[in-house]
Amino acid sequence: MLVKIKLNGQMIQEDVHPQTILLDWLRDHGCYSVKRGCETANCGLCTVWLDEKPILSCAMLVSRCNGHAIVTLEGMQEQAKEFAHFMANQGAEQCGFCTPGLIMNVFAMEKELKNPTEDEIKEYLAGNLCRCTGYMSQLRAIKAYLNRGEQS
């Protein structure tokens, strides 16, 4: 099946098997930030944006992305560098395996919710699992990042 997909700003047109999973296709195209975690669409490690909305790439066929735009963390390096400082300052980095999916959802939440409460942040990110942390340092980093414009 011929698909035409804009990946991180670059148009890609190629033949794909109709049952190819988006996660595998992205990794085949050098998007190594997209991780395979649970293989049951429950951990958030494979989160990417499809037309600026977060999706789980392990639960999406490439064929369904035909004519759409996909963004991975590789396509958001400047924003990711800024966020990384907040994570480091709060000691929120452990192994880092879950971080790309978390960051993609934080950026989506930032676009979607204005001044989210702590409960709204937790609810928005409930699908992102981390096996290393207790989430408190990540939550502090996210809150500091979202409030960065309010600092005097």
Side-chain angles (χ1 to χ4, degrees):
M1 167 177 207
L2 185 64
V3 296
K4 190 173 183 181
I5 298 170
K6 191 174 204 177
L7 175 59
N8 295 325
Q10 180 150 349
M11 192 57 70
I12 297 174
Q13 182 172 321
E14 67 182 40
D15 280 316
V16 298
H17 188 278
Q19 295 178 353
T20 301
I21 301 294
L22 179 59
L23 183 151
D24 297 327
W25 186 84
L26 290 169
R27 290 188 61 85
D28 287 345
H29 286 81
C31 298
Y32 300 117
S33 69
V34 184
K35 303 287 195 290
R36 183 181 310 280
C38 64
E39 298 193 32
T40 58
N42 287 307
C43 69
L45 270 64
C46 66
T47 301
V48 299
W49 286 5
L50 176 69
D51 296 334
E52 298 191 10
K53 299 287 183 191
I55 64 158
L56 299 172
S57 62
C58 74
M60 177 69 72
L61 296 174
V62 177
S63 58
R64 297 209 46 217
C65 301
N66 186 31
H68 296 278
I70 298 171
V71 177
T72 67
L73 194 59
E74 285 83 358
M76 304 185 84
Q77 288 301 297
E78 289 305 311
Q79 301 96 314
K81 285 178 189 175
E82 180 182 8
F83 185 73
H85 292 291
F86 288 90
M87 293 285 279
N89 287 340
Q90 294 298 327
E93 272 304 320
Q94 300 259 337
C95 81
F97 197 68
C98 68
T99 305
L102 174 74
I103 292 172
M104 293 303 291
N105 274 320
V106 168
F107 292 164
M109 178 181 58
E110 182 180 28
K111 289 175 60 153
E112 189 175 322
L113 304 178
K114 299 301 174 205
N115 301 314
T117 65
E118 186 171 314
D119 286 341
E120 289 173 322
I121 294 170
K122 288 178 181 178
E123 183 178 336
Y124 198 97
L125 301 175
N128 290 92
L129 301 181
C130 176
R131 292 176 172 93
C132 298
T133 70
Y135 298 103
M136 294 312 297
S137 56
Q138 290 176 339
L139 183 59
R140 285 192 309 269
I142 292 164
K143 287 166 58 176
Y145 173 78
L146 293 174
N147 294 320
R148 69 193 180 282
E150 297 173 14
Q151 299 169 0
S152 306

